[in-house]
Amino acid sequence: MSADDGNRGARAGRGRLWVCAALAFVTAAYAAPLLNMVAVSLRQASSAATPGLDPLPMIRDASGRSLARTSAAYWSTLGLDAARNYRDVWSGPGSDFPTYLRNSMLVALPSVAGAVVSSCLAAYGFARLRWRGREVLFLILLATLMLPQAVLMVPQYLLFRSAGLVGTFAPLWLPSCMAGAFSVFLLRQFFRTIPAELDEAARIDGCSHLGILWRVIVPLSRPAIALVALLQFVASWNDFLGPLLYLNHQDRYTLTLGLHLYLAQQNQVPWNLVMAASAITMAPVVVVYAFSRRFFTEGAATQGLKE
Amino acid sequence: MGWDRDQSRRAFLGAAGAAAIGGAIWPRVPRSRVMVPPGRVVLDYWEKWSGTELDSLQRVIDRFNASQDRSFVRVLPVGDLTTKALVAIAGGDPPDLLGMLSYSVPLLAETGAAIPLDRFSPALDTGAYLPAVRALLSYGGRQWAGVTSVYALALYYNRAMFAQAGLDPDRPPRTISELDACAARLDIRSADGRLERCGFLQVPVWWPYFWPIMFGGVLYDSARDRAVFADEATVRAYEWVASYPDRLGLSEASGFASSFERSYHSVGDPFLSGRLGMIVQGPWIANFARACAPELDYGAAPVPVVDDLLDPTEPTGLLEADVIVIPRGCPHPDEAFEFVRFMQQQETQEALALAHAKSSPMADVSPGFHARHPNRSIRVHDEVMRSPRVRILPQTRIWKSYADRTLGAFQHAWGGGGLRESRRDRLLRVLRGVESEVQGMLDHAARLRSRRAGPGGRA
Amino acid sequence: MNGSARAVGRGLLFISPWLAGFCGLTLGPALLSAWYSLTDTTLLDPPVYTGLSNFRRMWSDSLFWIALRNTLVFAAMNSIGVTAGSLGVAVLLHRAPARVAALARAVIFLPTVVPVVTACACWMWVFNPRFGILNSALTAAGATGGPDWLGDSRFALASLGFMSVWVIGSPLLVAGAALREVPRSLLEAAAIDGLGSGGRLWHVTLPAISPALMFNGLMALIWSLQLFGPPLIMTRGGPEHATLSYSMYVYLCAFSYGDMGYACALAWVQLALTLALSAAVLVVGGRFVRYRTT
């Protein structure tokens, strides 16, 4: 190994150290707001509003002395405070978070099922069938990706109103059951990578197109389908404008709408409870994300850029 | 290794999915339905109140629910209610009853979003209300809403702080210049110049359109359907608003004011925590004072007016009301009206007013009302409400748009130091801008009215 | 010919879910909205045809101009911030050891899946002038407290722009994927030519990934022109309308002022604006983008 090589190696090592340090900073900055939220959700109302960067609150005992971080009393008090906050949110008057949670599920799960089925069908039509007009329609589909959805807020609302669907989950289900442009695009790109010989073989065996889709394409496209399902789940779970416009009665609120109205209550809810409610709202998506991270962070975008 | 992790992950996701589906289809009755006795018509009632104010409304509602066996009122606190209510009415999916603010009455009336109460029988006795309250509930000669509570603003001041600063605690300021003088004596700055305590500030900014009234402005000339927002009174009002950040330092004053964000009516409230000597507030503050600062020694007085308007016997002020409306598309209008009627009884009104520490909207007040009232200064509010000089907000459907623009003007006055032109010119330009714009909206609304009333339109 | 007609029929049948959605939920509402924009439609009354008066009203509507300006400013901040930020983070991730990168990527992507209401609650606390971690961090760094980020009209919109850079998951993935596809041979050739790592980034990597950056910028632009949730939840458009966004104003006009016809007219202007700006970005940006010729 020459001296020059060693020098370069040392430089590369130093560079890598810098990269890691910068990355650690960025990561910490991205995690801080959420960690802070969880930290505040554990505190008592009186200590929620204290300045400083310390994630853990100062806890005083009955005589007003502050408890040491290492003492068992400190942690048991903290645990009890946290439990009280979450219980207050969960069963507090005026809000009904258990019902909101269930409604979010009721919105998200059928949306996912509808999105997967409809997108698979449409993507098959765009990827595996040859017919006149296909390219034009696909271009239109791509163009709708660029259409700001907010533009359609009022007319869609009036349309659902004239159909008598305001106040039901249908306005939240229907758009996702109508094969969203991005899902179709994603699946089409994936379906096109599957060799055409497989279709032919299946057709010789007497499969219909639906049969081919179900027996050949779908089993080979599981990662892409899973991604579509996950994206739809996150989109439905996180939807805010939809519930804001279409859900009116408390027994229909989803978590996002429930949390918004909880935040917007006239006599403002204390911060520690707001944070606990926020943590409850985000917990399901975070859990799903934690166990399916690789679907999100690998593969999603590469498919989207091929053309 | 990878296989193991994949397996366990798949197992977990499967279990989570199953749990989610289970949770979604598990028969669970929403908490709101649990309490309803069988056989009753359920009336959904959305209120903007929450917390203790909602609790006391709930007690009144409990009395209604117990008083008859036909219907059952279920109240729900809804944040940002005025917008959410219109979304629901427009969608044809409203609740039975809506607790709105009185300024919404003209909009609801003109767009046909509410059912006029004179359509029901037996009719309500409108003579029982105070005249100003009656005016708030009506539009175009019809009554559109019942009242749930009313308030006139007053100046609350910290008596202990007055005494300590050498001011007479029994003589609160009556005019704007007295207010300024008192405020200046109550300011305390720390050694490094930071504002620790402030005599007076125009916080909370819930009523940005309030100050022109105290300077003799009218906001709206209903006879000529003209917006009035750049007259001398309004200019003087906002110039006076601007004088506070001027005196205290803009960034200091803004920082001080905004540090109370989300802490009004709590332990951190600027007035209740003793960091603000005087504040313009509604009568409900007494309830929060008892809960958060029981030791606070405070008094109340009519809000100071500009010096030449002072008339101690007839205080000027602004009256606003919380109202209850039966929206169009209401599933059970007749039952809903029964509840409105119940709410309009003097006894109900006084019970709610006592619980909320507000004045009664009725002309007659029962003998024990003031003695039992939790706000010992309630007579100050009553005096303003009953004064011939009490004002109500412009009764036009565009008031919300108007009010949103007055906030812009208020904040311009607060934060806008002119650079090239003089302060007054710049302020005047902003106010004139608001005025002409609001006039445009008024004209538009008038054109619509005539078009709809004209041939082919709905009468 | 018969076969081709059958093929078309079959194709249409398969894509019918999308086609139905497109006609019923996009094209139909868009046409409906075009009609409403020419009328005066309040909450419940039938529409009254008023010609172009809704569009004329915009001219003298101060809030329209404020909302437009705010949205453009936000869009500029957001699309530049997100594109540049995601590129920077992607470069870091690309150079970091794989395990470190995987962990960091997992954390940085997380805000992208968090509901917007939660994110807003979270950031309202971050921005709190007295207790927020932003000002606490400034104090810890030696400053004498920071401004009231959301309550001060000079900072509020910029604060929302700052917050929006928190959500960079998708552009990060696009940029990361593009970075991985930069041909090694090109980088090695550049190194042999004596280019340092900065030079390689500027002369080789950036041109190679420019289509991805273009895509990110365009998507961020389209997204940010629709800004709705954060100002509604965090500031209600205030202070001094400093954070009133265009979509929020459309919502307010429709549902707070009960002026649906005007809201539809506003929405059409928003659509035209989005298309025009996207086209401008494509044309101007197209000069700098080098598509690989394969």
Side-chain angles (χ1 to χ4, degrees), chain C residues 87-155:
Chain C
L87 173 65
V89 175
V91 167
L92 284 179
L93 287 173
H94 191 61
R95 293 194 176 170
R99 279 169 164 278
V100 178
L103 180 71
R105 193 182 289 120
V107 173
I108 295 171
F109 195 86
L110 183 59
T112 307
V113 300
V114 164
V116 63
V117 190
T118 305
C120 290
C122 218
W123 279 84
M124 279 162 84
W125 183 256
V126 170
F127 285 134
N128 185 295
R130 275 165 87 199
F131 317 120
I133 49 174
L134 197 56
N135 279 357
S136 297
L138 284 180
T139 312
T144 54
D148 178 9
W149 297 99
L150 294 172
D152 186 327
S153 59
R154 290 168 300 171
F155 295 103

Side-chain angles (χ1 to χ4, degrees), chain C residues 7 11 31 64 80 87 89 94 136 181 198 236 244 246 294:
Chain C
L31 295 176
F64 161 75
I80 293 171
L87 173 65
V89 175
H94 191 61
S136 297
E181 287 184 9
R236 300 216 178 150
L244 181 73
Y246 198 98
T294 40

Side-chain angles (χ1 to χ4, degrees), chain B residues 55-70:
Chain B
D55 295 343
S56 40
L57 178 66
Q58 183 65 57
R59 282 196 292 281
V60 170
I61 291 172
D62 289 344
R63 272 176 34 200
F64 173 76
N65 288 340
S67 71
Q68 41 79 49
D69 56 4
R70 188 159 156 231

Side-chain angles (χ1 to χ4, degrees), chain A residues 89-100 102 105-106 109 157-158 161 166-168 222 230 243-253 257 260-269 271 274 287-288 290-295, chain B residues 5-6 8-10 12-13 16-17 19-21 23-33 44 46 48-55 74 76-80 84 86-95 261-265 288:
Chain A
V89 170
W90 191 250
S91 55
S95 56
D96 188 0
F97 277 89
T99 298
Y100 303 165
R102 170 203 169 94
M105 294 284 182
L106 278 175
L109 295 180
Y157 177 85
L158 296 174
R161 173 176 88 180
V166 170
T168 69
R222 280 211 192 116
L230 286 168
L244 184 68
L245 290 182
Y246 295 114
L247 302 181
N248 293 314
H249 297 277
Q250 192 189 24
D251 46 12
R252 290 287 166 94
Y253 287 0
L257 180 62
H260 169 60
L261 296 177
Y262 193 63
L263 259 173
Q265 279 189 7
Q266 199 183 35
N267 284 320
Q268 291 155 343
V269 178
W271 274 109
V274 167
V287 169
V288 166
F291 283 89
S292 54
R293 185 171 45 80
R294 62 201 180 97
F295 287 109
Chain B
R5 272 175 57 185
D6 261 18
S8 56
R9 177 172 300 159
R10 208 166 290 166
F12 172 82
L13 279 178
I21 293 171
I25 60 174
W26 190 265
R28 179 187 174 279
V29 181
R31 196 175 295 149
S32 54
R33 293 227 190 103
D44 275 311
W46 294 357
K48 57 206 159 310
W49 291 324
S50 59
T52 52
E53 288 175 324
L54 186 71
D55 295 343
R74 194 167 65 183
L76 173 70
V78 176
D80 197 11
K84 191 76 186 109
L86 291 191
V87 174
I89 297 174
D93 184 32
E261 173 213 11
R262 290 189 85 82
S263 63
Y264 290 104
H265 299 168
F288 296 101

Side-chain angles (χ1 to χ4, degrees), chain B residues 112-363:
Chain B
I115 304 177
L117 298 185
D118 51 26
R119 197 183 281 179
F120 299 94
S121 62
L124 294 170
D125 172 20
T126 53
Y129 302 116
L130 282 170
V133 175
R134 193 160 56 235
L136 276 176
L137 304 177
S138 329
Y139 182 76
R142 307 185 78 171
Q143 187 184 355
W144 295 88
V147 64
T148 43
S149 78
V150 291
Y151 65 87
L153 299 173
L155 181 79
Y156 280 77
Y157 64 100
N158 188 320
R159 291 172 56 91
M161 219 184 270
F162 264 54
Q164 181 199 348
L167 295 165
D168 180 358
D170 294 317
R171 200 186 170 293
R174 295 182 305 171
T175 64
I176 292 288
S177 43
E178 287 176 18
L179 174 69
D180 291 346
C182 289
R185 291 183 57 179
L186 297 174
D187 291 342
I188 292 184
R189 281 175 190 275
S190 65
D192 58 353
R194 299 205 69 166
L195 204 53
E196 281 188 345
R197 193 177 86 183
C198 191
F200 177 76
L201 270 186
Q202 294 88 349
V203 291
V205 192
W206 295 338
W207 304 283
Y209 42 77
F210 175 64
W211 292 108
I213 293 173
M214 303 315 285
F215 279 74
V218 292
L219 298 173
Y220 174 61
D221 176 354
S222 60
R224 292 165 49 232
D225 196 26
R226 307 300 296 175
V228 183
F229 202 62
D231 57 330
E232 184 59 24
T234 309
V235 175
R236 279 172 72 195
Y238 289 112
E239 275 186 324
W240 170 76
V241 166
S243 72
Y244 273 73
D246 276 358
R247 178 165 62 80
L248 300 165
L250 177 59
S251 65
E252 233 357 81
S254 300
F256 189 82
S258 63
S259 65
F260 300 110
E261 173 213 11
R262 290 189 85 82
S263 63
Y264 290 104
H265 299 168
S266 71
V267 183
D269 183 282
F271 180 70
L272 301 181
S273 66
R275 294 186 65 210
L276 191 63
M278 294 176 280
I279 194 168
V280 169
Q281 264 288 13
W284 53 77
I285 193 72
N287 273 351
F288 296 101
R290 185 167 317 102
C292 308
E295 304 296 312
L296 188 73
D297 180 17
Y298 64 90
V303 179
V305 287
V306 73
D307 302 32
D308 39 354
L309 276 187
L310 181 66
D311 180 348
T313 57
E314 290 184 357
T316 306
L318 173 68
L319 183 71
E320 286 194 87
D322 300 290
V323 301
I324 185 166
V325 171
I326 303 177
R328 181 148 123 202
C330 159
H332 316 98
D334 291 322
E335 288 85 353
F337 182 69
E338 273 315 301
F339 179 68
V340 173
R341 163 188 301 291
F342 172 82
M343 288 295 287
Q344 302 314 292
Q345 293 168 5
Q346 187 185 344
E347 192 190 343
T348 317
Q349 283 298 328
E350 290 188 359
L352 196 59
L354 283 173
H356 281 192
K358 289 175 184 157
S359 304
S360 167
M362 308 319 243

